[in-house]
Amino acid sequence: MALSYRRRSGVWYCRGTVRVGRETFTVPEFSTGCSSRADATSTGSAEEARIRAEYFEGPAGRAKRVAIAECFAAYLRRPGGVQTYDADRVATLNEAIGARPLAEAAPAWREFLARQTGAPATAARWRNVLSAAINEGCKALVIPNPPELPPI
């Protein structure tokens, strides 16, 4: 089944499957936000192209689009949870660098560290929490880990 379109309340919706080689990807129904079928078809084609490109790029290509915040979310959802003080650190780190791409984790860490004051042991704890979140996020999202964070 390829992508199919249907109209509800004047807006076109798209859903179906996309085949790439032997793989089949299910596209859950989503609103195209378009009132004309031609525009909806164009939006559906763009989604299909995005799925194909992501498939051919592989895990390294997906890693370029992942935000550090997604790693923090995976870290907080991990089995066993996290300690309250680590959750507070994750929240602070997320506010400061969460919107940055995962590929920019090292420069983001350097900028965060430059704004912090305190003992080296405190900075080491911040680095350990960030590193653990990145490792857990990469494992959960099945993407390669970025280069190591610079030492303190």
Side-chain angles (χ1 to χ4, degrees), residues 72 86-98 112 116 126:
F72 289 141
D86 279 350
D88 294 341
R89 285 188 177 95
V90 166
T92 303
L93 284 165
N94 194 27
E95 285 179 28
I97 63 174
F112 178 79
Q116 297 300 311
W126 284 98

Side-chain angles (χ1 to χ4, degrees), residues 6-77:
R6 68 182 180 140
R7 190 172 181 192
R8 290 191 325 200
S9 302
V11 177
W12 286 90
Y13 289 78
C14 177
R15 70 177 182 164
T17 57
V18 176
R19 286 193 54 113
V20 182
R22 293 183 180 179
E23 302 270 342
T24 302
F25 298 93
T26 302
V27 178
E29 186 171 64
F30 69 95
S31 171
T32 62
C34 304
S35 58
S36 73
R37 171 129 184 154
D39 292 340
T41 304
S42 174
T43 302
S45 296
E47 177 66 11
E48 185 175 350
R50 184 195 63 78
I51 290 169
R52 289 179 190 279
E54 187 173 294
Y55 176 80
F56 288 119
E57 288 175 346
R62 285 195 307 274
K64 293 176 187 173
R65 291 187 297 275
V66 170
I68 296 173
E70 294 177 58
C71 292
F72 289 141
Y75 182 64
L76 293 173
R77 286 191 310 261

